[in-house]
Amino acid sequence: MKPYDYLNDLDDLDQFEAELTGARKPKTPARNPKKLPESDAKFLQTQDDSRTNFKFTYKAARFEEGWLLNSLGGFYEHQWISDVLRKIRGGKEASVYLCRAGENIHADLLAVKVYRPRMLRNLKQDHIYREGRIDLGSDGKQLVKDADVHAVAKRTAYGEEIRHQSWIAYEFNTLRTLFEASVDVPQAYEMANNAILMDYIGDLSAAAPALSEISLDRAEAKELFDRSLHNIDLMLSKNFIHGDLSAYNILYWDGDITLIDFPQVVSPGNNRSAYQIFLRDVTRVCEYFIKFGVRANPRKIATDLWTSRGFHVFEEIHPRLLDAEDPQDRKLWERQNRGR
Ligand SMILES: Nc1ncnc2c1ncn2[C@@H]1O[C@H](COP(=O)(O)OP(=O)(O)O)[C@@H](O)[C@H]1O
Ligand SMILES: [Mg+2]
């Protein structure tokens, strides 16, 4: 699949969104396809041929179907998936679908998270998470072309697409690294320009609920609380802060937990808001378990975990400072950070 080719389907997606929300969108004229060199045309032709065989069980709305065919066609061609069975959850930023694995992945069922191109609009505070990040391309590697780096900085339409791609690459790379490190996350198998293929948590009849949807007795709550903190600490030891951790992003299945939803990960030593983001993650997790009788002091837990991993607590940074992206301010922070 070529990067950004789903952009050609934005008109369809607009229509799909309009159907979902009941809003009326003005019709946009169809775009004239660009003439391709013969070799590329042949390549696309073969892809299209095999994609036309991609029929799935899930009854998608008309425009959703086009969107899925476009997003998941590559997974189907590579025999990583053979069918889309149903939608697990549709959200503002992404929809997650249950798939039957294809011959080339040793699994029965898989989950695929398909991002909407609109995702960035919802990330109003994205600069806070982006600080200290290196943008990644569709191959999951650091951007190398100056033109791409420039486009991101200038926020051109193309640059926004690269940013979008970079969030997805971050989620994919993070899942891979954390799975290797034995953090309780789904194993991620493949990434396309707007989709991630990973282990499915649940069974054919039901997907795993999030902690937010279930109640726990006190003994199990204590056990899962300890397990959550173990995961948070293990992530920190690998230089990752989840950044949006809460009972909504921890799945529960068969007595075990699985952490999901990683596009906004933050690096603890490279982002001035890192401690605040970390504290918020720890606090949200504590608040959930406190409801079931677990005793926890989030601020103390966060500080202890943070400092025992050798990081310095910057509690005094005002959020406005973080908006400023002031190089002087950043230098000051780096000096303090080195002194830790
Ligand atoms: N691997 C998975 N197995 C089962 N269900 C999943 C899986 N990944 C996500 N889900 C379901 O899809 C929902 C949305 O996924 P998530 O990654 O949290 O995206 P977002 O919250 O950004 O829409 C989750 O709350 C969960 O219900
Ligand atoms: Mg989520």
Side-chain angles (χ1 to χ4, degrees):
M1 203 186 299
K2 292 230 165 149
Y4 319 121
D5 64 354
Y6 69 96
L7 273 183
N8 300 329
D9 265 19
L10 280 184
D11 295 344
D12 273 6
L13 195 59
D14 273 345
Q15 191 66 43
F16 169 49
E17 287 197 336
E19 279 183 9
L20 282 181
T21 57
R24 281 180 32 188
K25 291 260 163 81
K27 277 220 155 94
T28 11
R31 289 171 204 184
N32 292 329
K34 279 202 202 102
K35 217 170 176 321
L36 292 163
E38 210 183 323
S39 55
D40 280 7
K42 259 196 221 124
F43 171 66
L44 287 180
Q45 193 57 47
T46 25
Q47 285 200 324
D48 284 350
D49 277 352
S50 74
R51 277 179 200 203
T52 49
N53 297 326
F54 185 22
K55 307 250 172 357
F56 39 77
T57 305
Y58 169 62
K59 293 270 168 291
R62 188 166 142 232
F63 292 100
E64 182 188 17
E65 183 168 331
W67 179 55
L68 284 179
L69 285 171
N70 202 358
S71 308
L72 305 181
F75 291 167
Y76 176 78
E77 280 173 346
H78 287 94
Q79 301 198 30
W80 294 326
I81 60 171
S82 62
D83 196 3
V84 181
L85 300 176
R86 62 187 154 79
K87 190 191 288 196
I88 299 170
R89 189 75 52 113
K92 272 197 307 216
E93 293 166 8
S95 294
V96 178
Y97 297 85
L98 172 62
C99 297
R100 179 79 65 193
E103 298 216 327
N104 290 334
I105 290 187
H106 190 69
D108 178 20
L109 300 171
L110 293 171
V112 68
K113 179 171 181 178
V114 192
Y115 280 89
R116 301 163 147 282
R118 301 291 181 273
M119 184 193 105
L120 281 176
R121 281 193 201 158
N122 301 322
L123 281 167
K124 293 215 176 60
Q125 298 282 71
D126 77 333
H127 66 277
I128 291 186
Y129 298 92
R130 283 176 50 81
E131 181 178 303
R133 269 193 183 199
I134 294 158
D135 282 306
L136 305 175
S138 56
D139 54 0
K141 303 217 176 83
Q142 184 175 348
L143 295 181
V144 281
K145 283 195 213 144
D146 282 350
D148 287 355
V149 176
H150 187 71
V152 172
K154 288 280 162 209
R155 304 206 77 140
T156 65
Y158 174 63
E160 293 298 285
E161 281 314 311
I162 298 178
R163 276 179 183 237
H164 174 86
Q165 180 68 66
S166 183
W167 286 103
I168 298 165
Y170 261 88
E171 171 152 41
F172 180 74
N173 288 354
T174 304
L175 285 171
R176 302 276 301 184
T177 309
L178 295 182
F179 184 80
E180 276 290 301
S182 303
V183 179
D184 297 323
V185 297
Q187 178 169 11
Y189 297 96
E190 298 293 339
M191 171 181 100
N193 52 348
N194 65 331
I196 293 175
L197 190 61
M198 64 181 118
D199 277 338
Y200 166 70
I201 318 297
D203 64 20
L204 205 48
S205 62
L211 284 181
S212 58
E213 297 167 82
I214 60 164
S215 292
L216 299 168
D217 65 37
R218 196 167 156 198
E220 192 175 22
K222 176 74 176 95
E223 198 183 303
L224 296 184
F225 175 63
D226 290 345
R227 188 77 198 165
S228 302
L229 291 188
H230 165 74
N231 276 285
I232 289 172
D233 184 45
L234 198 51
M235 287 194 283
L236 197 58
S237 75
K238 299 284 161 193
N239 287 319
F240 286 101
I241 299 167
H242 184 290
D244 188 23
L245 197 61
S246 73
Y248 293 93
N249 283 327
I250 304 179
L251 302 181
Y252 174 86
W253 191 251
D254 258 355
D256 290 327
I257 53 168
T258 306
L259 281 55
I260 56 164
D261 205 359
F262 285 87
Q264 66 295 302
V265 278
V266 163
S267 156
N270 221 355
N271 182 310
R272 286 167 297 163
S273 312
Y275 178 71
Q276 269 78 13
I277 294 171
F278 182 74
L279 176 62
R280 188 183 59 194
D281 278 3
V282 171
T283 305
R284 283 183 182 160
V285 169
C286 288
E287 279 169 356
Y288 172 77
F289 287 104
I290 286 170
K291 282 195 298 194
F292 302 106
V294 173
R295 288 158 58 115
N297 174 344
R299 195 166 277 271
K300 178 165 185 343
I301 293 172
T303 311
D304 287 352
L305 291 173
W306 190 256
T307 50
S308 63
R309 290 283 168 202
F311 297 109
H312 190 84
V313 175
F314 297 97
E315 297 221 44
E316 302 310 323
I317 288 183
H318 191 277
R320 257 210 331 257
L321 277 182
L322 299 168
D323 288 354
E325 296 197 3
D326 174 349
Q328 282 307 107
D329 172 48
R330 168 104 195 157
K331 274 207 188 97
L332 186 76
W333 177 83
E334 277 169 0
R335 262 207 306 279
Q336 279 183 294
N337 203 27
R338 268 200 299 275
R340 71 175 193 234

